Amino acid sequence: MKTNKIKNAMDERVEATRWSDINTEHVLQRIREEEHLTKKRIPTALTAAIILLLILAVTALAESKWGLIQWFSGNKTAAVISTAKPEIIQQAECPQATFQLTEAVSDGYGLYIDVLCIPKESQILLLNASVDPNETVVGNIGIDSDDSQKTVGAWATENGYTSLYRVLLYSGHWLNDENLEHSNPASFDSSVNSTMHINDNGSCNILISGSDLGPSHEYELSCWCVPYTRTANNAWEIEQAQSDQYTTLRFTVSEEKRHQSRIIASYYPAEEATDGYLKIERTDIVSSDLSTYIVTKYTLTEKGLENANCFNPPIFYLSQPESLEADHLIRDRAMHGRAGISTDNQIVYQYYYSCTLPDKLPDEISISAFSSAKEVTDTDLSEATKMIRSIDEFE
Amino acid sequence: MVEVLAEVPCKNNEQALIQLMTVYGTDIKRLCQCILNDPYLAEDAAQETFFKAWKGLAGFRNECGEKTWLCHIAVNTCRSMMRGFWFHSIIRRVPSNDILDETEKQPDYDPTVWNAVQELPEKLRLAIVLRYYEELPLKETAIALGININTLNTRLRKARSILQKNLKGWYFDEDE
């Protein structure tokens, strides 16, 4: 059937539908009503603006003189990190710091770890790998300062910290830092995402996330303190990490610390999505108390299996329309590597993003995979996002 | 293509709107009917489209054709209606004394294609209707839907694939 037959067939159905004078009259009547309302709205808007200005003036006065705002707001300020007394489940020492694993939770996809790093001397400042003392501003890592745009390095100098160290937290299963030399880099199979918060007493909490490897797995987390040196022009320069100078935290994630996750939407590609080497089977949106995941499952084709030794694991990209407003963006916190899952007679690999879904979902997002061969056909997730929207509407 | 607004000196006035309604009214009303599959809702949607167009006349900068611009507004208006309570509450596709009956009463009328298009998921249906019913060029269709051309092509491919399956026996050739 040619596509012009679609037009003919649809034309046949709607040919009796015509724009009439009544339609024109209805639109014009609506416009006149709107114009009338606009004229009425102007004085109302002026009155509202005056009232708003009065309220703002009173509020500003209250904040500066009466302290009413503080009285009303009470303890509503949310802490970035819980200040509840941490439960120490593991502790390790190195010459510069003590590392305490305060919490480790998982949900079958992601593992989330909170490590409290306590410097052993008061002039030591510990920073995580994502902080550059020459660039990062204090406002971004929880330091309370008059000038939130001051660099961490400048703030450290002003506050008597003479020794700065980068804390590297590394597991054989997670790749942490590109500058890190380790005895077994071949074991890297995933990535770590970390954020930090400096506490008032000089210690810092580093939150890291990685792949959950199951309830029986014993994780090893190697901890380094890599020194920064001060250069002649007052910049901080990181030294090379020494592969043997580390301490190790060992832990498992007990069942009571494991959160349930559930699939809230699934999308199966309408057309076969393959580049000849791998084939995208489905994409799920999975939710737990800890995070939301976009999980793409794929299998290797016969050709892919034959070339498995020289076939690099694919990289998946989540793309959203360029014109999307920031409020509607899916913010991806971490992109994890693949894991094999055996089903009946085949191994299904999965690749997932840990992400934050916006309140209002974009109309379309897509997952593209790039293997060593070429790009795999886009997997359009528009139907999946529509399903989530439906779930939101009815829940 | 007729460009109505180029011939009207002042954009933000009733005269321009009346011209737009005269030239594109029927097309937009039919487009709404193709999307909503309901003549009454389509009438409301088409009127709403021109009301919104009047409000946006001052901002129209000829970055796309007038018809594309109106189609874009109509598509968004229909989408809003489809997500509204009323659309989900009423029992649609019930024969009544409307033009659908008149069409369906015709002895040689075959609703197979219409039904197949209506069965498509919303996004695929919009792509098919704008591209093959309204016959907008690819670029203009993409603008009207607010998506890029690659996404549009993917949707058209998917839609054609579903139609090919559902219209087995009808579908014997493809011209793109």
Side-chain angles (χ1 to χ4, degrees):
Chain A
M1 178 191 178
K2 286 182 178 293
T3 47
N4 61 3
K5 287 196 177 178
I6 294 179
K7 177 166 175 61
N8 295 342
M10 296 188 74
D11 253 338
E12 199 178 352
R13 180 64 173 246
V14 297
E15 65 184 353
T17 301
R18 292 187 194 286
W19 187 261
S20 66
D21 291 343
I22 295 170
N23 296 133
T24 302
E25 193 47 49
H26 280 164
V27 177
L28 294 177
Q29 190 181 342
R30 178 100 186 268
I31 289 169
R32 281 170 201 132
E33 284 170 5
E34 178 73 11
E35 284 173 335
H36 181 65
L37 275 175
T38 308
K39 281 174 192 166
K40 281 175 76 175
R41 273 185 207 134
I42 292 169
T44 315
L46 268 175
T47 313
I50 290 165
I51 292 170
L52 185 67
L53 275 172
L54 278 171
I55 291 171
L56 282 173
V58 170
T59 307
L61 198 59
E63 190 171 23
S64 59
K65 302 273 186 188
W66 303 341
L68 282 177
I69 297 298
Q70 287 88 344
W71 187 76
F72 278 118
S73 61
N75 294 322
K76 284 176 188 169
T77 312
V80 177
I81 289 171
S82 168
T83 53
K85 191 177 177 185
E87 172 201 357
I88 300 173
I89 46 179
Q90 250 297 0
Q91 184 165 311
E93 305 276 344
C94 78
Q96 299 82 18
T98 302
F99 300 97
Q100 293 177 353
L101 188 66
T102 57
E103 191 158 26
V105 292
S106 70
D107 58 8
Y109 289 89
L111 175 67
Y112 301 86
I113 303 163
D114 184 1
V115 179
L116 177 63
C117 310
I118 307 166
K120 290 194 169 173
E121 293 174 28
S122 60
Q123 77 275 16
I124 292 177
L125 181 65
L126 303 171
L127 303 169
N128 81 332
S130 64
V131 174
D132 179 347
N134 305 306
E135 300 283 340
T136 309
V137 295
V138 292
N140 288 349
I141 56 170
I143 293 173
D144 191 14
S145 168
D146 294 338
D147 180 5
S148 62
Q149 294 305 306
K150 190 178 289 173
T151 66
V152 172
W155 176 86
T157 306
E158 282 175 18
N159 287 274
Y161 292 103
T162 53
S163 304
L164 268 59
Y165 287 87
R166 173 181 284 186
V167 175
L168 294 178
L169 300 174
Y170 161 80
S171 165
H173 298 282
W174 308 325
L175 174 63
N176 190 3
D177 187 271
E178 60 184 12
N179 296 319
L180 182 64
E181 284 187 353
H182 194 269
S183 55
N184 187 19
S187 63
F188 298 166
D189 66 4
S190 184
S191 61
V192 163
N193 189 40
S194 72
T195 54
M196 79 172 293
H197 179 89
I198 291 188
N199 303 311
D200 292 340
N201 62 4
S203 65
C204 70
N205 280 80
I206 296 182
L207 295 156
I208 60 176
S209 61
S211 296
D212 179 15
L213 300 172
S216 60
H217 189 85
E218 185 180 56
Y219 296 90
E220 287 191 357
L221 194 66
S222 306
C223 313
W224 273 265
C225 279
V226 187
Y228 282 94
T229 49
R230 199 79 184 269
T231 62
N233 56 356
N234 280 338
W236 295 93
E237 195 172 87
I238 189 77
E239 293 182 12
Q240 190 72 39
Q242 300 298 312
S243 62
D244 56 345
Q245 292 180 3
Y246 62 90
T247 185
T248 305
L249 291 167
R250 289 186 180 82
F251 61 96
T252 55
V253 182
S254 56
E255 280 301 330
E256 65 267 23
K257 292 288 183 185
R258 303 184 72 82
H259 292 243
Q260 293 292 319
S261 56
R262 66 187 181 111
I263 295 174
I264 55 173
S266 295
Y267 175 74
Y268 297 85
E271 294 171 21
E272 194 171 77
T274 180
D275 65 348
Y277 291 82
L278 64 92
K279 186 178 157 201
I280 295 177
E281 301 288 348
R282 60 187 282 184
T283 299
D284 297 324
I285 307 218
V286 180
S287 176
S288 78
D289 294 340
L290 305 173
S291 188
T292 306
Y293 305 93
I294 297 178
V295 184
T296 304
K297 292 181 178 167
Y298 66 97
T299 51
L300 295 183
T301 61
E302 280 188 22
K303 194 174 167 188
L305 286 168
E306 284 168 12
N307 293 279
N309 291 335
C310 54
F311 181 84
N312 292 325
I315 298 168
F316 286 78
Y317 290 95
L318 182 149
S319 62
Q320 306 178 76
E322 286 176 7
S323 57
L324 218 54
E325 291 171 18
D327 291 349
H328 298 172
L329 280 172
I330 293 177
R331 294 181 297 283
D332 44 315
R333 296 207 298 255
M335 185 173 67
H336 297 281
R338 67 176 189 171
I341 312 163
S342 294
T343 57
D344 292 342
N345 284 317
Q346 62 176 351
I347 292 176
V348 178
Y349 299 97
Q350 67 180 20
Y351 204 98
Y352 59 91
Y353 282 94
S354 168
C355 62
T356 306
L357 296 177
D359 290 338
K360 187 179 175 189
L361 283 157
D363 285 339
E364 59 181 88
I365 51 175
S366 66
I367 295 280
S368 303
F370 293 85
S371 70
S372 54
K374 56 182 179 180
E375 183 182 354
V376 180
T377 313
D378 279 8
T379 303
D380 185 357
L381 293 182
S382 50
E383 291 304 307
T385 54
K386 197 161 76 181
M387 285 174 69
I388 299 172
R389 190 176 290 117
S390 304
I391 290 165
D392 287 345
E393 280 170 7
F394 293 106
E395 272 186 349
Chain B
M1 184 180 285
V2 188
E3 290 297 324
V4 174
L5 296 178
E7 297 166 8
V8 181
C10 176
K11 285 182 182 176
N12 195 5
N13 63 14
E14 284 186 18
Q15 192 193 345
L17 184 72
I18 291 168
Q19 289 277 13
L20 283 175
M21 289 191 285
T22 308
V23 175
Y24 301 112
T26 298
D27 281 351
I28 295 298
K29 199 170 169 181
R30 288 177 178 179
L31 170 66
C32 294
Q33 192 175 339
C34 289
I35 297 171
L36 297 168
N37 194 18
D38 183 306
Y40 298 115
L41 287 178
E43 182 148 334
D44 289 347
Q47 287 173 184
E48 183 70 16
T49 298
F50 284 105
F51 176 67
K52 286 178 180 170
W54 170 76
K55 287 176 110 177
L57 263 176
F60 180 66
R61 289 187 294 273
N62 287 312
E63 284 163 356
C64 60
E66 289 164 1
K67 186 175 175 183
T68 306
W69 176 58
L70 290 170
C71 286
H72 180 69
I73 300 172
V75 164
N76 286 338
T77 304
C78 291
R79 276 176 169 164
S80 298
M81 290 178 98
M82 284 191 285
R83 281 165 197 160
F85 172 78
W86 176 245
F87 192 82
H88 291 289
S89 304
I90 58 172
I91 302 166
R92 290 177 302 121
R93 296 176 186 158
V94 174
S96 56
N97 297 324
D98 55 32
I99 51 172
L100 297 186
D101 275 345
E102 292 307 313
T103 309
E104 281 181 329
K105 280 174 191 168
Q106 293 168 13
D108 56 344
Y109 175 70
D110 183 349
T112 309
V113 175
W114 174 270
N115 289 342
V117 171
Q118 293 301 325
E119 302 274 316
L120 289 171
E122 180 191 321
K123 285 183 179 173
L124 306 189
R125 188 166 79 246
L126 291 173
I128 284 284
V129 167
L130 288 173
R131 178 79 180 108
Y132 298 132
Y133 175 67
E134 288 295 336
E135 295 184 315
L136 291 182
L138 267 179
K139 189 181 168 192
E140 301 277 300
T141 307
I143 292 171
L145 289 173
I147 57 177
N148 65 41
I149 289 185
N150 287 338
T151 309
L152 173 64
N153 275 326
T154 307
R155 289 185 189 175
L156 287 172
R157 208 165 49 238
K158 280 183 192 169
R160 285 200 303 265
S161 154
I162 295 171
L163 286 177
Q164 188 172 19
K165 191 176 154 196
N166 293 347
L167 293 174
K168 211 165 187 176
W170 286 67
Y171 205 108
F172 52 84
D173 193 11
E174 183 51 71
D175 57 354
E176 286 193 50

